[in-house]
């Protein structure tokens, strides 16, 4: 009889086709068809982008869900949620408050982080909150986080003394800034989580790199770049790696609220106890929608590979598609695109192919 193994299944989401929980459950189902005796631990992971809030909610079922009404976009209102953990940590997700997926029509110039700032304000004013973890992936805006700062009480004024327009289009109007009436962060401060190292400005910056996926034309990008440049001039701060995350939100929050910036995957792994779970396991399975050379740069899969190697645990990959050849890079795993015959086929019935991948992974042991 085969020895029973402890198998940790800890994927990121497959964006556009399956959540991290769905991915983990489907792989587990397939694995169990082949190796019924193994003990499986499904442990979905995230990197600070869309879905991070729900990942924390699954890991910490006792966390309080706090709902507030926010002014989302162009007078639209919606209900946003943040989590309060038992230790006083508030988990806030920008994508949940005002992310790209909530936009009925993309509006690259006028979309803002104001609703995100309203959620930050709600947490900062809560007496139980000791620190804020702000997950900032999946944004729809390129406003340098100014909308969030305005929601927190900051005033960004034009040369005529009027408040600037919300959105990236208003940044070029900034003449003076007044932080005197801002809500203060909680006693242990606030941290932004992101998985990118882009600068605020330049070819690798927020507007030029991510503007197009938010609907920005070439002309829009010029306007957004000029606005972010004006924000930097007014702030008297230097650009830094990661400043361009979420349309410059990490830069703005650092400028106005003293918010630090950290790797999403690393902080989330620490808060959720991933290291301990890996240490207890015999085999670790991880994956994401697309595996490429950037996967090792602060993303979930790269971090899990690193931790698994540290504890000398065998790692298997399950990915939607891959730009990296597994055998020549000493990687073991399954690529759904290869299984299904095409990317379209893999995405159209991803759960079916994830179950099949689980079977194939179990056969590699």
């Amino acid at each position: 009889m085969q020895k029973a193994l402890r198998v940790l299944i800890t994927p990121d989401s497959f964006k556009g086709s399956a959540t991290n929980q769905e991915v983990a459950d489907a792989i587990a189902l397939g694995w169990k068809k082949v190796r019924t005796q193994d003990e499986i631990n499904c442990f979905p992971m995230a990197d600070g982008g869309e879905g991070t809030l729900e990942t924390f909610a699954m890991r910490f079922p006792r966390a309080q869900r706090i709902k507030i009404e926010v002014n989302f976009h162009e007078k639209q209102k919606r209900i946003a949620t943040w989590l309060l953990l038992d230790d006083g940590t508030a988990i806030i997700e920008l994508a949940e408050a005002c992310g790209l997926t909530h936009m009925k029509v993309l509006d690259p110039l006028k979309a803002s982080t104001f609703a995100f700032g309203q959620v930050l304000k709600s947490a900062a004013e809560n007496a139980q909150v000791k620190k804020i973890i702000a997950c900032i992936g999946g944004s729809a805006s390129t406003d340098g986080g100014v909308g969030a700062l305005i929601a927190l009480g900051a005033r960004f004024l034009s040369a005529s003394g009027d408040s600037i327009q919300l959105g990236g289009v208003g940044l070029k109007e900034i003449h003076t800034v007044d932080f005197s009436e801002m809500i203060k962060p909680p006693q242990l401060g606030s941290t932004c989580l992101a998985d990118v190292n882009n600068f605020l400005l330049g070819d690798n910056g927020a507007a030029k790199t991510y503007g197009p996926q938010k609907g920005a034309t070439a002309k829009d990008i010029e306007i957004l770049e000029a606005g972010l440049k004006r924000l930097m001039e007014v702030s008297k701060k230097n650009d830094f790696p990661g400043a361009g995350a979420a349309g410059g939100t990490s830069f703005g929050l650092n400028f106005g609220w003293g918010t630090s910036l950290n790797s999403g995957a690393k902080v989330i792994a620490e808060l959720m106890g991933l290291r301990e779970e890996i240490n207890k396991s015999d085999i670790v399975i991880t994956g994401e929608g697309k595996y490429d050379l950037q996967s090792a740069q602060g993303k979930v899969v790269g971090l899990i590979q690193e931790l698994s190697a540290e504890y000398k645990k065998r790692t298997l990959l399950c990915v939607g598609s891959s730009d990296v050849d597994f055998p020549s890079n000493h990687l073991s795993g399954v690529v759904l695109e290869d299984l299904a015959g095409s990317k379209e086929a893999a995405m159209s019935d991803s759960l079916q192919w994830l179950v099949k991948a689980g079977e194939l992974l179990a056969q590699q042991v």
Side-chain angles (χ1 to χ4, degrees):
M1 183 177 175
Q2 292 176 313
K3 175 191 172 186
L5 299 174
R6 288 167 298 186
V7 182
L8 178 67
I9 305 178
T10 179
D12 199 351
S13 63
F14 281 38
K15 290 179 177 60
S17 56
T19 67
N20 49 11
Q21 183 70 61
E22 290 172 336
V23 173
D25 289 345
I27 294 172
L29 182 60
W31 186 282
K32 275 293 191 182
K33 289 183 178 182
V34 177
R35 295 183 58 90
T36 58
Q37 76 278 20
D38 290 342
E39 177 188 329
I40 295 180
N41 178 12
C42 290
F43 194 98
M45 264 292 291
D47 59 12
E50 186 179 0
T52 300
L53 193 79
E54 286 306 315
T55 302
F56 272 102
M58 287 184 286
R59 181 62 175 162
F60 300 102
R62 291 177 53 191
Q64 297 179 51
R65 285 181 180 266
I66 299 175
K67 298 180 181 295
I68 67 162
E69 185 178 70
V70 296
N71 300 314
F72 169 47
H73 179 64
E74 296 284 278
K75 298 183 180 178
Q76 298 174 48
K77 294 184 183 292
R78 59 182 308 274
I79 301 299
T81 303
W82 59 277
L83 287 181
L84 176 57
L85 306 187
D86 286 346
D87 68 354
T89 300
I91 307 295
I92 296 172
E93 181 185 305
L94 185 153
E96 202 279 333
C98 55
L100 201 60
T101 56
H102 295 306
M103 296 290 287
K104 293 175 183 175
V105 178
L106 298 181
D107 193 349
L109 295 180
K110 294 181 182 177
S112 83
T113 52
F114 186 82
F116 173 56
Q118 289 180 296
V119 183
L120 291 173
K121 181 174 183 285
S122 171
E125 291 180 330
N126 188 301
Q128 297 179 69
V129 172
K130 297 177 182 176
K131 64 179 175 181
I132 292 175
I133 301 292
C135 309
I136 61 172
S139 74
S141 55
T142 310
D143 74 343
V146 166
L149 295 177
I150 291 171
L152 287 165
R155 299 181 70 208
F156 285 80
L157 305 175
S158 67
S160 62
D162 298 319
S163 294
I164 66 165
Q165 183 179 353
L166 285 175
V169 70
L171 300 182
K172 64 182 184 297
E173 304 168 16
I174 300 173
H175 182 68
T176 57
V177 179
D178 180 2
F179 291 153
S180 63
E181 299 298 320
M182 276 188 73
I183 299 292
K184 287 184 169 52
Q187 63 186 79
L188 298 180
S190 59
T191 299
C192 277
L193 302 187
D195 67 346
V196 301
N197 292 311
N198 301 77
F199 284 84
L200 185 68
L201 302 177
D203 291 341
N204 188 40
K208 292 184 180 179
T209 304
Y210 300 108
Q213 71 190 43
K214 300 175 185 182
T217 64
K219 179 62 177 174
D220 294 337
I221 289 170
E222 288 181 17
I223 294 169
L224 294 169
E225 181 79 1
L228 292 172
K229 184 178 180 182
R230 179 57 188 156
L231 174 62
M232 178 173 284
E233 290 169 352
V234 171
S235 74
K236 296 183 171 59
K237 294 184 72 71
N238 294 323
D239 209 343
F240 58 87
T249 297
S250 56
F251 180 87
L253 286 181
N254 177 261
F255 165 44
W257 226 34
T259 304
S260 61
L261 176 66
N262 280 294
S263 159
K266 286 184 178 179
V267 172
I268 293 167
E270 182 179 343
L271 288 170
M272 294 178 60
L274 178 64
R275 180 181 289 272
E276 292 79 3
E277 297 299 328
I278 289 175
N279 191 30
K280 290 189 298 187
S281 304
D282 298 306
I283 291 178
V284 179
I285 300 172
T286 188
E288 62 186 344
K290 182 177 181 181
Y291 186 83
D292 55 29
L293 294 174
Q294 300 302 312
S295 295
Q297 308 297 318
K299 294 198 173 183
V300 166
V301 172
L303 175 66
I304 291 170
Q305 289 175 302
E306 184 183 311
L307 291 175
S308 297
E310 181 181 331
Y311 287 104
K312 297 181 171 54
K313 308 295 181 179
R314 185 178 178 190
T315 307
L316 299 174
L317 298 178
C318 177
V319 301
S321 63
S322 178
D323 290 345
V324 177
D325 180 65
F326 280 15
S328 61
N329 285 276
H330 309 291
L331 300 171
S332 299
V334 176
V335 180
L336 299 193
E337 186 176 330
D338 296 342
L339 276 186
S342 70
K343 181 179 180 181
E344 291 71 27
M347 290 189 71
S348 66
D349 197 355
S350 57
L351 296 182
Q352 171 197 320
W353 294 111
L354 284 162
V355 173
K356 181 62 177 175
E359 295 178 45
L360 294 175
L361 290 169
Q363 291 167 10
Q364 293 184 20
V365 175

